[in-house]
Amino acid sequence: MPETRAVPRTKLRPKTERPKLHKVILVNDDFTPRDFVVTVLKGEFHMSEDQAYRVMITAHQRGVCVVAVFTRDVAETKATRATEAGKAKGYPLQFTTEPEE
Ligand code: TYC
């Protein structure tokens, strides 16, 4: 009689939860100079001049623009640092975070 195998050969792998990603959102205002917004985007989010300009102008025209997504801690740290960079110059520049759906 052929041997029957009682134990599954593949290990059952418990589903590992991926950490939820959080968006960093750039918010438009009427006071922060465009060039300054571009400089902050390049410095804090490692964007090229071109990418940074596009994100800045999208926020300028539509009110907000998603900059990038990160784990929660990284998103919050970057949003805080970028907002502080504006505050240090007396600008009301705001970066917020929001969990991805
Ligand atoms: N609206 C600003 C201006 O006209 C520029 C600006 C763009 C500010 C995007 C903030 O998130 C922003 N000087």
Side-chain angles (χ1 to χ4, degrees), residues 9-62:
R9 271 188 291 185
T10 51
K11 273 220 183 97
L12 288 177
R13 188 162 40 86
K15 277 229 174 74
T16 40
E17 297 285 321
R18 277 189 299 107
K20 195 185 254 179
L21 293 176
H22 290 241
K23 300 180 269 195
V24 173
I25 297 161
L26 170 65
V27 183
N28 186 39
D29 67 72
D30 291 339
F31 304 102
T32 310
R34 292 181 181 201
D35 283 0
F36 184 78
V37 180
V38 170
T39 300
V40 171
L41 288 169
K42 282 160 62 179
E44 189 60 45
F45 299 96
H46 309 291
M47 293 180 156
S48 68
E49 178 81 25
D50 212 58
Q51 288 176 305
Y53 183 83
R54 283 168 204 240
V55 168
M56 179 281 295
I57 209 69
T58 301
H60 176 75
Q61 290 170 345
R62 301 163 78 123

